[in-house]
Amino acid sequence: MHCPVHEVLMPSPNSRRSYTHWSKWGLVILAVLLSVGCQWKKTSRPSFLVVAVDRLGVGRVGCVSERDDAVRSGLAELCDEAVRFTHAFTTSTMSAPAMASLLTGEYPYRLGLRHNGGGELGTLSSSFETVAERALRLKYRTMFVSGAPPLLRRTGLHQGFEVFDDAIHPTSRRLHRPAREVVDIFTRWVRADDRESPFFAVLHLGDLQVPWQPMPDDSGRIRESSVRGQLEEIDESLSRLWAFLKAEKLWEQTTIVVVGLQGDSEDLRLGEIPALDLHSDTTHIGLLIRERARHLGRQANTSGQPAYEWVPKPWAFDVNVSLADVGMSLVDWLEGGAAGQDISTVPPDEARSLRSAIQEQGDAMERWRRQERLIVTESGWAKWRLDAEYPIRVALRRGPYLYIHDRTPTIYNTLTDAFEVSPMPRRNSRTLELRDEFSEIAGSLGFREFPRVTDDQILEDSWARSYFSRRLGSPVFTVSEVDQRRIEKLAETSMAVQTWRALQRWESGSRVEPNHCSRLVFGSNQLSSTMEAELARACPFRGAREVARWYRTRNEEERDKLFEAIFRADQQRIAAVRVAEASLALGRIWESGSTRMRGLEGLEILLAQPQAARLRQQITRRSRTQPEL
């Protein structure tokens, strides 16, 4: 860092008296200014680092008093200096709307971004100012690193980020960017950027979504294919990240937020589609905030040294807060608010800064507990995935009460029913009073009552999660024999189920019936221009013409060239299919078009035919010995 103090204090070389004077006092002042003054620019404004983790439920943030010191745990290290918000809830079960709340301090029903599917309801409008845009205006360096779909540029979340790195490039073997790689991208950026301005950075970790793709630990040991194995990857990567910040002298100058974008439960709630479930299992998130150290006051002497320094201290805040509150806190920190908002002046349905909760501890908690906070959590999954006529499903929290705004609404008292398994009696006077009150609030916010999804829709979703997670190597659960018989019946009316059952039969060794395309490809006719035109109409996908030529030629050199083109097309197909199957295994939370929903893939059908047996063998051998394209 350049510090021109010596240019001011350097005495004139022509004056002996001047030199004697400065020898007594100048060096003292110079030393003080070099040690303190040169740091003013560096420490005047904090940096901000947000680590947002998909499916980081509150139960996965273990701030325990006793732990194995031999295990590198970034979460445990942060617990030693952070405030743990034990009653934090997401604003949406969908990642894109939840991230939008984190980056704006607004609820999805105000933002208009309601699901992960793109289009009007899947894109953040540029009319909303993000925290990153505020930071950029204040001369902060800004960066976002995405670890997995759906947090891609098309969501509109890139607004305000100088670097928005969503170059994930999914393949059939890797659908996400592991936590270690996300951290490495960030640390390289910090080292490479020699500007002295502070940074605002968001790191998105998607490891918990894909337990079937474990990474090796620092010793090279492959972790187990489970959520626990992926949590170890995140924990170890965060530990490396904290070590980097400390080595670069950035730890004390950085406010750090680690937060889940949605909760996650190991057990699926009966009668619920997970992406639509608004109970605490899927909405209660982990939240740790470590505010940077601050200098408080100065001594009366002339040294200019800080009198004392406020350092983060660990404690727990057990009042309901939302993901939107975290976004509002980031705005508050950036804008330099003295101690956060006066919460008594904030409407109950709006986000509030958490700064006072962090800085004032016990007093703030009591004030927050006395306020009638309203926490709003929604899911636009049904409108996106089932039918556009479905309304957005919403749940409202206030104090210990959870209200789900369905046509047959349910209310839970979480003080007496922590697992939310026994709704309050419907005809109880208190229940009726709460129902009318919450229903009026939901209506005023623009929400309609949500109709119950059908048993067939629940079965289709659960069967897809079971089948595709098993294909990917991490079975979520198994369906019963009764459900297997029901799925056969459902295949009569559901094209998606027909596709999945055909895939299951093929996987078990059954033949894939030829279609018009495969009959043309493996027919006896020569490939005239008329034949190729008909082939293009019947087989509108990459690789079909090459397979037809490969089948007809006996020239080995020509076959080798055609094989390279077919192999490349097949690898691209596999990557797209893998993304779609992962989305199905996770409850259709990524946009993947009609893949795996509207029939087997065209090239897939061709390669499944007996005439392509040799071609399949070549592709299999190449796949085992060559990295993916």
Side-chain angles (χ1 to χ4, degrees):
M1 177 182 296
H2 176 64
C3 187
V5 177
H6 68 282
E7 298 172 6
V8 178
L9 297 181
M10 185 63 68
S12 169
N14 299 323
S15 172
R16 179 179 178 85
R17 180 180 178 184
S18 174
Y19 178 82
T20 305
H21 171 75
W22 283 105
S23 66
K24 291 181 178 179
W25 299 105
L27 295 179
V28 174
I29 297 173
L30 177 62
V32 170
L33 290 176
L34 285 174
S35 63
V36 179
C38 289
Q39 297 300 317
W40 288 342
K41 183 176 180 180
K42 183 176 181 180
T43 63
S44 58
R45 294 191 299 166
S47 291
F48 296 92
L49 176 60
V50 179
V51 181
V53 187
D54 275 313
R55 303 196 169 192
L56 186 69
V58 66
R60 291 176 177 160
V61 181
C63 292
V64 295
S65 57
E66 296 182 5
R67 61 177 184 268
D68 185 358
D69 291 334
V71 178
R72 298 179 62 184
S73 172
L75 290 171
E77 288 180 51
L78 192 62
C79 285
D80 292 340
E81 297 187 24
V83 177
R84 183 189 183 195
F85 289 83
T86 60
H87 289 65
F89 297 90
T90 188
T91 57
S92 173
T93 58
M94 303 277 93
S95 294
M99 179 59 77
S101 291
L102 182 60
L103 293 178
T104 62
E106 296 281 359
Y107 282 98
Y109 66 85
R110 296 183 187 276
L111 295 171
L113 198 168
R114 317 301 287 273
H115 56 60
N116 298 336
E120 183 180 357
L121 295 182
T123 307
L124 179 65
S125 169
S126 60
S127 62
F128 291 96
E129 186 177 41
T130 66
V131 182
E133 288 176 300
R134 293 173 184 263
L136 196 60
R137 190 176 66 245
L138 294 169
K139 310 300 183 184
Y140 276 74
R141 297 171 286 160
T142 58
M143 183 190 208
F144 187 107
V145 185
S146 175
L151 299 189
L152 309 175
R153 184 175 294 269
R154 64 173 175 76
T155 60
L157 297 172
H158 66 285
Q159 295 169 199
F161 289 102
E162 295 174 299
V163 177
F164 188 91
D165 190 339
D166 63 347
I168 299 169
H169 304 306
T171 69
S172 64
R173 298 174 188 169
R174 195 184 79 164
L175 299 171
H176 74 300
R177 191 147 50 184
R180 179 179 313 192
E181 187 175 330
V182 172
V183 168
D184 287 345
I185 291 171
F186 167 72
T187 56
R188 287 196 299 268
W189 174 73
V190 171
R191 287 195 178 106
D193 195 328
D194 59 359
R195 289 176 294 172
E196 295 175 349
S197 53
F199 61 79
F200 175 82
V202 179
L203 309 183
H204 167 237
L205 307 183
D207 304 70
L208 298 181
Q209 292 191 61
V210 283
W212 53 81
Q213 292 187 328
M215 291 294 294
D217 60 18
D218 285 347
S219 65
R221 176 183 60 87
I222 298 295
R223 305 181 200 277
E224 64 180 50
S225 299
S226 66
V227 170
R228 185 174 66 178
Q230 296 294 60
L231 189 58
E232 289 176 359
E233 163 70 12
I234 291 173
D235 226 2
E236 195 172 273
S237 298
L238 290 181
S239 182
R240 292 172 57 248
L241 177 56
W242 308 154
F244 166 80
L245 292 176
K246 291 172 183 177
E248 296 292 323
K249 310 301 182 187
L250 294 170
W251 178 256
E252 296 299 334
Q253 308 304 323
T254 304
T255 291
I256 298 172
V257 177
V258 174
V259 62
L261 291 179
Q262 60 280 120
D264 195 23
S265 173
E266 298 292 342
D267 300 316
L268 301 181
R269 186 174 287 265
L270 185 65
E272 289 278 5
I273 294 175
L276 265 177
D277 188 0
L278 297 178
H279 294 80
S280 294
D281 302 339
T282 54
T283 63
H284 194 180
I285 59 176
L287 173 58
L288 295 170
I289 298 180
R290 176 201 179 275
E291 193 177 11
R292 66 117 177 201
R294 301 188 308 278
H295 296 308
L296 303 178
R298 296 195 176 277
Q299 292 176 350
N301 61 36
T302 59
S303 70
Q305 293 289 340
Y308 62 99
E309 186 176 63
W310 179 90
V311 294
K313 294 179 176 59
W315 63 288
F317 189 85
D318 62 359
V319 180
N320 292 349
V321 300
S322 80
L323 198 58
D325 295 331
V326 181
M328 188 59 69
S329 306
L330 294 170
V331 172
D332 194 14
W333 274 311
L334 279 171
E335 301 292 349
Q341 302 162 302
D342 178 0
I343 63 172
S344 64
T345 65
V346 180
D349 63 330
E350 291 189 4
R352 305 174 182 179
S353 172
L354 301 173
R355 289 189 69 190
S356 63
I358 294 171
Q359 296 175 12
E360 299 176 24
Q361 300 190 17
D363 293 339
M365 193 184 303
E366 288 305 314
R367 288 202 308 275
W368 281 65
R369 187 172 284 116
R370 288 194 298 267
Q371 296 292 320
E372 289 293 317
R373 287 299 318 275
L374 186 70
I375 305 296
V376 183
T377 303
E378 65 173 55
S379 174
W381 185 88
K383 177 177 283 293
W384 170 38
R385 285 305 198 184
L386 298 182
D387 192 325
E389 296 302 315
Y390 267 102
I392 305 291
R393 195 183 192 192
V394 68
L396 305 178
R397 291 178 183 274
R398 193 173 61 195
Y401 298 109
L402 168 64
Y403 168 83
I404 300 179
H405 190 54
D406 293 343
R407 284 184 183 167
T408 304
T410 51
I411 304 176
Y412 300 91
N413 184 341
T414 59
L415 282 180
T416 58
D417 181 21
F419 296 101
E420 297 163 14
V421 294
S422 301
M424 295 174 64
R426 291 180 182 175
R427 297 183 180 181
N428 181 282
S429 59
R430 179 55 176 159
T431 304
L432 295 173
E433 179 185 347
L434 288 169
R435 185 194 64 188
D436 292 344
E437 188 176 347
F438 278 122
S439 178
E440 182 178 352
I441 294 172
S444 70
L445 297 178
F447 291 98
R448 293 185 288 133
E449 293 177 340
F450 187 81
R452 186 181 183 278
V453 293
T454 67
D455 291 340
D456 283 351
Q457 288 168 333
I458 295 173
L459 174 63
E460 182 176 308
D461 179 76
S462 62
W463 195 88
R465 285 171 60 88
S466 172
Y467 175 59
F468 286 104
S469 63
R470 187 168 62 252
R471 275 176 59 85
L472 293 169
S474 181
V476 176
F477 60 94
T478 56
V479 296
S480 66
E481 292 184 8
V482 173
D483 284 343
Q484 285 285 6
R485 289 194 293 271
R486 288 176 57 206
I487 205 74
E488 294 285 355
K489 182 69 175 176
L490 187 58
E492 298 174 6
T493 56
S494 170
M495 182 174 291
V497 175
Q498 290 175 19
T499 301
W500 303 337
R501 293 290 293 126
L503 183 63
Q504 187 182 45
R505 286 191 295 270
W506 176 31
E507 196 176 37
S508 64
S510 298
R511 181 183 176 189
V512 174
E513 292 299 321
N515 57 13
H516 180 51
C517 170
S518 62
R519 293 189 186 97
L520 288 174
V521 168
F522 298 113
S524 58
N525 296 336
Q526 294 300 312
L527 285 181
S528 62
S529 57
T530 303
M531 176 66 177
E532 288 205 357
E534 185 178 357
L535 191 66
R537 287 192 296 270
C539 311
F541 53 87
R542 290 189 59 186
R545 187 175 60 177
E546 287 77 6
V547 173
R549 289 178 175 176
W550 178 92
Y551 178 68
R552 286 166 173 77
T553 185
R554 293 297 176 264
N555 185 306
E556 288 301 322
E557 185 177 346
E558 179 67 15
R559 272 198 166 190
D560 289 343
K561 291 180 180 179
L562 290 169
F563 170 77
E564 294 299 329
I566 295 168
F567 180 75
R568 184 177 296 275
D570 190 53
Q571 291 298 293
Q572 293 173 345
R573 175 193 68 82
I574 290 173
V577 165
R578 189 79 165 186
V579 171
E581 291 188 352
S583 180
L584 288 163
L586 296 168
R588 284 183 270 177
I589 63 170
W590 298 339
E591 183 61 64
S592 56
S594 61
T595 303
R596 284 289 179 256
M597 299 287 288
R598 300 291 181 186
L600 300 179
E601 300 299 298
L603 190 55
E604 194 171 50
I605 294 175
L606 291 184
L607 295 178
Q609 301 305 313
Q611 299 92 326
R614 180 182 171 188
L615 186 57
R616 283 199 309 273
Q617 292 171 358
Q618 283 184 271
I619 290 174
T620 300
R621 285 196 298 269
R622 173 67 67 83
S623 299
R624 289 172 178 171
T625 59
Q626 178 174 313
E628 291 189 33
L629 301 174

